[in-house]
Amino acid sequence: MTQAISLEAVGLELGGRHIVHDLTVTLEAHRIAVIGANGSGKSTLLRLLDGLVPPTTGTISVHGIDPAYEARRLHRHVGFIFTNPDAQIVMPTAREDLAFSLRGVRDENGRRLDRAVIAERVDTWLAAHGLADHADSSAHTLSGGQKQLLAIGAVLIREPGLVLADEPTTMLDLPNARLVGDLLIDELTQPVVIATHDLELAARCDVAVRFAHGTISRVGDPAELIAEYRAEFA
Ligand SMILES: Nc1ncnc2c1ncn2[C@@H]1O[C@H](COP(=O)(O)OP(=O)(O)OP(=O)(O)O)[C@@H](O)[C@H]1O
Ligand SMILES: [Mg+2]
Protein backbone atom coordinates (compact mmCIF):
# COMPACT_ATOMS: atom_id res chain seq x y z
CA MET A 1 0.00 0.00 0.00
CA THR A 2 1.33 3.43 -0.95
CA GLN A 3 2.08 5.76 1.95
CA ALA A 4 1.25 8.87 -0.06
CA ILE A 5 -1.59 11.29 0.50
CA SER A 6 -2.39 13.15 -2.69
CA LEU A 7 -4.90 15.73 -3.69
CA GLU A 8 -5.45 16.90 -7.24
CA ALA A 9 -7.34 20.15 -7.84
CA VAL A 10 -9.55 19.55 -4.81
CA GLY A 11 -12.23 22.07 -3.94
CA LEU A 12 -15.14 22.11 -1.54
CA GLU A 13 -18.15 24.33 -1.91
CA LEU A 14 -20.87 24.46 0.72
CA GLY A 15 -23.97 26.59 0.43
CA GLY A 16 -22.49 28.41 -2.54
CA ARG A 17 -19.28 29.28 -0.62
CA HIS A 18 -15.81 28.08 -1.49
CA ILE A 19 -14.54 26.49 1.72
CA VAL A 20 -11.28 25.25 0.18
CA HIS A 21 -10.07 25.47 -3.40
CA ASP A 22 -7.22 24.36 -5.66
CA LEU A 23 -5.70 21.87 -3.23
CA THR A 24 -2.99 20.05 -5.16
CA VAL A 25 -0.28 18.31 -3.18
CA THR A 26 1.42 14.96 -2.65
CA LEU A 27 2.60 14.24 0.88
CA GLU A 28 4.80 11.27 1.67
CA ALA A 29 6.39 12.35 4.94
CA HIS A 30 5.85 10.37 8.11
CA ARG A 31 4.74 13.30 10.29
CA ILE A 32 2.87 16.12 8.58
CA ALA A 33 1.89 19.38 10.28
CA VAL A 34 -0.93 21.53 8.90
CA ILE A 35 -0.68 25.12 10.08
CA GLY A 36 -2.37 28.43 9.31
CA ALA A 37 -4.84 31.00 10.61
CA ASN A 38 -8.32 30.31 12.01
CA GLY A 39 -10.72 29.51 9.21
CA SER A 40 -7.96 28.90 6.66
CA GLY A 41 -9.10 25.32 5.89
CA LYS A 42 -7.01 22.98 8.10
CA SER A 43 -9.90 21.04 9.66
CA THR A 44 -11.61 20.90 6.28
CA LEU A 45 -8.55 19.17 4.84
CA LEU A 46 -8.70 16.53 7.60
CA ARG A 47 -12.44 16.08 7.05
CA LEU A 48 -11.83 15.55 3.34
CA LEU A 49 -9.09 13.00 4.08
CA ASP A 50 -11.37 11.18 6.50
CA GLY A 51 -14.22 11.09 4.00
CA LEU A 52 -16.48 13.07 6.36
CA VAL A 53 -17.19 15.38 3.48
CA PRO A 54 -16.73 14.59 -0.24
CA PRO A 55 -14.92 17.15 -2.38
CA THR A 56 -17.02 19.15 -4.84
CA THR A 57 -14.20 19.00 -7.39
CA GLY A 58 -10.94 17.09 -7.79
CA THR A 59 -9.67 13.76 -6.50
CA ILE A 60 -8.13 12.54 -3.26
CA SER A 61 -6.06 9.46 -2.56
CA VAL A 62 -5.21 8.47 1.02
CA HIS A 63 -2.66 5.66 0.91
CA GLY A 64 -4.31 4.48 -2.30
CA ILE A 65 -7.88 4.79 -0.97
CA ASP A 66 -10.40 7.25 -2.39
CA PRO A 67 -12.23 8.57 0.70
CA ALA A 68 -15.30 9.57 -1.28
CA TYR A 69 -15.90 6.05 -2.62
CA GLU A 70 -14.24 3.59 -0.25
CA ALA A 71 -15.55 4.64 3.15
CA ARG A 72 -15.35 1.20 4.80
CA ARG A 73 -11.80 0.56 3.68
CA LEU A 74 -10.81 4.07 4.70
CA HIS A 75 -12.27 3.72 8.18
CA ARG A 76 -10.42 0.48 8.79
CA HIS A 77 -7.22 2.26 7.80
CA VAL A 78 -7.55 5.74 9.34
CA GLY A 79 -7.93 6.88 12.96
CA PHE A 80 -9.21 10.39 13.73
CA ILE A 81 -8.30 12.28 16.92
CA PHE A 82 -10.50 15.23 17.85
CA THR A 83 -9.60 18.33 19.88
CA ASN A 84 -12.09 17.58 22.59
CA PRO A 85 -11.66 14.13 24.16
CA ASP A 86 -15.21 14.28 25.56
CA ALA A 87 -16.44 13.91 21.99
CA GLN A 88 -14.46 10.69 21.65
CA ILE A 89 -14.72 8.84 24.96
CA VAL A 90 -17.81 6.65 24.74
CA MET A 91 -17.57 4.21 27.66
CA PRO A 92 -17.78 4.81 31.43
CA THR A 93 -14.19 3.86 32.29
CA ALA A 94 -10.79 4.00 30.61
CA ARG A 95 -10.50 0.21 30.55
CA GLU A 96 -13.93 -0.21 28.94
CA ASP A 97 -13.30 2.56 26.45
CA LEU A 98 -10.07 1.03 25.15
CA ALA A 99 -11.62 -2.46 25.08
CA PHE A 100 -14.63 -1.10 23.17
CA SER A 101 -12.31 0.39 20.59
CA LEU A 102 -10.71 -3.03 19.99
CA ARG A 103 -14.02 -4.85 19.58
CA GLY A 104 -14.29 -4.34 15.83
CA VAL A 105 -10.62 -5.08 15.16
CA ARG A 106 -9.76 -8.32 13.31
CA ASP A 107 -6.56 -10.32 13.55
CA GLU A 108 -4.48 -11.36 10.54
CA ASN A 109 -6.87 -14.30 9.95
CA GLY A 110 -9.87 -12.01 9.83
CA ARG A 111 -11.17 -13.13 13.23
CA ARG A 112 -12.29 -10.82 16.01
CA LEU A 113 -9.84 -10.55 18.89
CA ASP A 114 -10.80 -12.70 21.86
CA ARG A 115 -11.50 -11.20 25.26
CA ALA A 116 -8.19 -12.24 26.81
CA VAL A 117 -6.18 -10.65 23.99
CA ILE A 118 -8.22 -7.44 24.26
CA ALA A 119 -7.79 -7.33 28.05
CA GLU A 120 -4.05 -7.81 27.76
CA ARG A 121 -3.62 -5.12 25.09
CA VAL A 122 -5.70 -2.70 27.15
CA ASP A 123 -3.71 -3.36 30.34
CA THR A 124 -0.43 -2.91 28.49
CA TRP A 125 -1.55 0.40 27.01
CA LEU A 126 -2.85 1.75 30.31
CA ALA A 127 0.35 0.79 32.14
CA ALA A 128 2.62 2.23 29.45
CA HIS A 129 0.81 5.58 29.53
CA GLY A 130 0.47 6.12 33.26
CA LEU A 131 -3.26 5.40 33.34
CA ALA A 132 -3.24 2.05 35.16
CA ASP A 133 -4.34 3.64 38.44
CA HIS A 134 -7.30 5.25 36.67
CA ALA A 135 -8.34 2.20 34.66
CA ASP A 136 -11.60 1.63 36.50
CA SER A 137 -12.54 5.09 37.67
CA SER A 138 -15.18 7.06 35.81
CA ALA A 139 -13.64 8.54 32.66
CA HIS A 140 -15.26 11.86 33.54
CA THR A 141 -13.13 12.14 36.67
CA LEU A 142 -9.92 12.09 34.61
CA SER A 143 -8.06 15.38 34.11
CA GLY A 144 -8.12 17.04 30.68
CA GLY A 145 -4.69 15.64 29.86
CA GLN A 146 -5.59 12.15 31.03
CA LYS A 147 -8.79 12.27 28.98
CA GLN A 148 -6.90 13.30 25.87
CA LEU A 149 -4.40 10.47 26.46
CA LEU A 150 -7.29 8.05 26.75
CA ALA A 151 -9.03 9.38 23.63
CA ILE A 152 -5.77 9.11 21.69
CA GLY A 153 -5.21 5.66 23.15
CA ALA A 154 -8.60 4.50 21.88
CA VAL A 155 -7.50 5.47 18.36
CA LEU A 156 -3.90 4.23 18.52
CA ILE A 157 -4.65 0.89 20.18
CA ARG A 158 -6.40 -0.18 16.96
CA GLU A 159 -3.10 0.43 15.15
CA PRO A 160 -4.53 2.44 12.23
CA GLY A 161 -2.40 2.80 9.11
CA LEU A 162 -2.77 6.60 9.24
CA VAL A 163 -3.67 8.96 12.09
CA LEU A 164 -5.41 12.30 11.52
CA ALA A 165 -5.38 14.67 14.51
CA ASP A 166 -7.23 17.99 14.65
CA GLU A 167 -5.72 20.30 17.29
CA PRO A 168 -4.88 17.45 19.67
CA THR A 169 -3.04 19.69 22.16
CA THR A 170 -5.25 22.80 22.16
CA MET A 171 -6.96 22.02 25.45
CA LEU A 172 -3.79 20.92 27.24
CA ASP A 173 -1.21 22.63 29.46
CA LEU A 174 2.44 22.61 28.42
CA PRO A 175 3.49 19.30 30.05
CA ASN A 176 0.45 17.46 28.73
CA ALA A 177 0.83 19.05 25.30
CA ARG A 178 4.42 17.75 25.25
CA LEU A 179 3.25 14.32 26.38
CA VAL A 180 0.70 14.12 23.57
CA GLY A 181 3.41 15.35 21.20
CA ASP A 182 5.73 12.56 22.41
CA LEU A 183 2.98 10.06 21.75
CA LEU A 184 2.15 11.30 18.24
CA ILE A 185 5.66 12.21 17.14
CA ASP A 186 8.07 9.84 18.88
CA GLU A 187 6.05 6.78 19.81
CA LEU A 188 3.71 6.43 16.86
CA THR A 189 5.20 4.34 14.08
CA GLN A 190 2.41 4.99 11.57
CA PRO A 191 2.13 8.25 9.58
CA VAL A 192 0.24 11.14 11.14
CA VAL A 193 -1.28 14.40 9.90
CA ILE A 194 -1.68 17.01 12.65
CA ALA A 195 -3.63 20.25 12.16
CA THR A 196 -2.38 22.56 14.87
CA HIS A 197 -1.79 26.05 16.23
CA ASP A 198 0.80 24.51 18.57
CA LEU A 199 3.91 25.57 16.66
CA GLU A 200 6.17 23.64 19.04
CA LEU A 201 4.33 20.49 17.98
CA ALA A 202 4.41 21.50 14.31
CA ALA A 203 8.17 22.02 14.55
CA ARG A 204 8.58 18.36 15.56
CA CYS A 205 7.03 17.15 12.27
CA ASP A 206 8.95 16.25 9.08
CA VAL A 207 7.02 18.53 6.79
CA ALA A 208 4.57 21.40 7.19
CA VAL A 209 1.65 22.44 5.01
CA ARG A 210 0.64 26.07 5.37
CA PHE A 211 -2.97 27.00 4.73
CA ALA A 212 -4.12 30.53 3.93
CA HIS A 213 -7.52 31.69 2.70
CA GLY A 214 -8.82 28.21 1.91
CA THR A 215 -5.85 26.89 0.02
CA ILE A 216 -2.31 25.59 0.48
CA SER A 217 0.12 28.46 0.32
CA ARG A 218 3.35 26.56 1.08
CA VAL A 219 4.68 23.07 1.72
CA GLY A 220 8.13 22.62 3.21
CA ASP A 221 10.45 22.39 6.16
CA PRO A 222 8.47 23.09 9.35
CA ALA A 223 11.14 25.38 10.88
CA GLU A 224 11.18 27.53 7.74
CA LEU A 225 7.40 27.73 7.39
CA ILE A 226 6.94 28.51 11.07
CA ALA A 227 9.54 31.29 10.90
CA GLU A 228 7.72 32.80 7.90
CA TYR A 229 4.36 32.48 9.63
CA ARG A 230 5.68 34.21 12.76
CA ALA A 231 7.37 36.94 10.70
CA GLU A 232 4.07 37.77 8.98
CA PHE A 233 2.55 38.63 12.34
CA ALA A 234 5.60 40.21 14.00
N1 LIG B 1 -20.04 22.96 7.29
C1 LIG B 1 -19.66 24.19 6.96
N2 LIG B 1 -20.52 25.07 6.41
C2 LIG B 1 -20.15 26.31 6.07
N3 LIG B 1 -18.90 26.79 6.24
C3 LIG B 1 -18.00 25.97 6.78
C4 LIG B 1 -18.31 24.62 7.18
N4 LIG B 1 -17.19 24.06 7.69
C5 LIG B 1 -16.23 24.99 7.63
N5 LIG B 1 -16.72 26.14 7.09
C6 LIG B 1 -15.94 27.37 6.85
O1 LIG B 1 -14.78 27.01 6.12
C7 LIG B 1 -13.66 27.77 6.52
C8 LIG B 1 -12.53 26.83 6.92
O2 LIG B 1 -12.87 26.19 8.13
P1 LIG B 1 -11.91 25.18 8.86
O3 LIG B 1 -12.67 24.63 10.02
O4 LIG B 1 -11.35 24.23 7.89
O5 LIG B 1 -10.75 26.16 9.36
P2 LIG B 1 -9.50 25.85 10.29
O6 LIG B 1 -8.28 26.24 9.52
O7 LIG B 1 -9.57 24.48 10.82
O8 LIG B 1 -9.72 26.91 11.46
P3 LIG B 1 -9.39 26.82 13.03
O9 LIG B 1 -7.96 27.15 13.17
O10 LIG B 1 -10.26 27.92 13.60
O11 LIG B 1 -9.77 25.47 13.51
C9 LIG B 1 -14.15 28.68 7.64
O12 LIG B 1 -14.41 29.93 7.11
C10 LIG B 1 -15.43 28.02 8.11
O13 LIG B 1 -16.32 28.94 8.62
MG1 LIG C 1 -9.84 23.70 12.71
Side-chain angles (χ1 to χ4, degrees), residues 13-57:
E13 213 180 299
L14 289 173
R17 248 188 83 205
H18 288 285
I19 306 294
V20 290
H21 60 93
D22 300 309
L23 304 182
T24 296
V25 70
T26 295
L27 300 163
E28 285 174 299
H30 183 45
R31 295 160 300 199
I32 300 159
V34 183
I35 60 172
N38 288 133
S40 57
K42 304 178 300 297
S43 296
T44 303
L45 171 69
L46 296 193
R47 290 161 58 79
L48 287 163
L49 297 180
D50 198 38
L52 289 165
V53 54
T56 314
T57 54

Side-chain angles (χ1 to χ4, degrees), residues 1 11 17 36 69 83 92 95 98-99 104 126 156 176 211:
M1 182 177 262
R17 248 188 83 205
Y69 294 99
T83 310
R95 189 192 302 284
L98 293 179
L126 290 166
L156 301 190
N176 279 313
F211 263 78

Side-chain angles (χ1 to χ4, degrees), residues 5-10 23-26 45 48-49 59-61:
I5 294 171
S6 53
L7 292 89
E8 178 63 40
V10 169
L23 304 182
T24 296
V25 70
T26 295
L45 171 69
L48 287 163
L49 297 180
T59 53
I60 302 176
S61 170

Side-chain angles (χ1 to χ4, degrees), residues 110-134:
R111 281 194 292 263
R112 286 184 190 279
L113 305 178
D114 68 50
R115 289 172 87 94
V117 172
I118 290 180
E120 201 216 311
R121 270 215 223 171
V122 168
D123 281 344
T124 304
W125 208 93
L126 290 166
H129 299 88
L131 287 175
D133 290 345
H134 303 281

Side-chain angles (χ1 to χ4, degrees), residues 4-197:
I5 294 171
S6 53
L7 292 89
E8 178 63 40
V10 169
L12 175 66
E13 213 180 299
L14 289 173
R17 248 188 83 205
H18 288 285
I19 306 294
V20 290
H21 60 93
D22 300 309
L23 304 182
T24 296
V25 70
T26 295
L27 300 163
E28 285 174 299
H30 183 45
R31 295 160 300 199
I32 300 159
V34 183
I35 60 172
N38 288 133
S40 57
K42 304 178 300 297
S43 296
T44 303
L45 171 69
L46 296 193
R47 290 161 58 79
L48 287 163
L49 297 180
D50 198 38
L52 289 165
V53 54
T56 314
T57 54
T59 53
I60 302 176
S61 170
V62 176
H63 294 189
I65 304 169
D66 183 334
Y69 294 99
E70 300 173 274
R72 277 176 71 92
R73 215 177 134 213
L74 185 84
H75 286 131
R76 277 199 302 271
H77 186 70
V78 174
F80 199 105
I81 295 166
F82 295 90
T83 310
N84 181 356
D86 287 324
Q88 206 150 329
I89 298 170
V90 290
M91 299 299 280
T93 68
R95 189 192 302 284
E96 289 168 295
D97 199 66
L98 293 179
F100 181 76
S101 178
L102 283 173
R103 271 191 0 184
V105 173
R106 312 247 167 190
D107 65 17
E108 53 282 2
N109 302 314
R111 281 194 292 263
R112 286 184 190 279
L113 305 178
D114 68 50
R115 289 172 87 94
V117 172
I118 290 180
E120 201 216 311
R121 270 215 223 171
V122 168
D123 281 344
T124 304
W125 208 93
L126 290 166
H129 299 88
L131 287 175
D133 290 345
H134 303 281
D136 298 305
S137 31
S138 165
H140 296 289
T141 65
L142 299 177
S143 75
Q146 290 165 337
K147 277 190 201 171
Q148 187 57 302
L149 266 183
L150 173 60
I152 292 177
V155 171
L156 301 190
I157 203 167
R158 298 170 62 97
E159 300 178 348
L162 172 70
V163 175
L164 305 174
D166 195 0
E167 311 273 3
T169 59
T170 299
M171 296 174 73
L172 304 179
D173 64 14
L174 192 58
N176 279 313
R178 290 220 172 111
L179 195 66
V180 163
D182 292 345
L183 196 56
L184 294 177
I185 303 288
D186 301 334
E187 195 181 315
L188 188 65
T189 53
Q190 297 97 315
V192 59
V193 183
I194 309 172
T196 188
H197 293 291

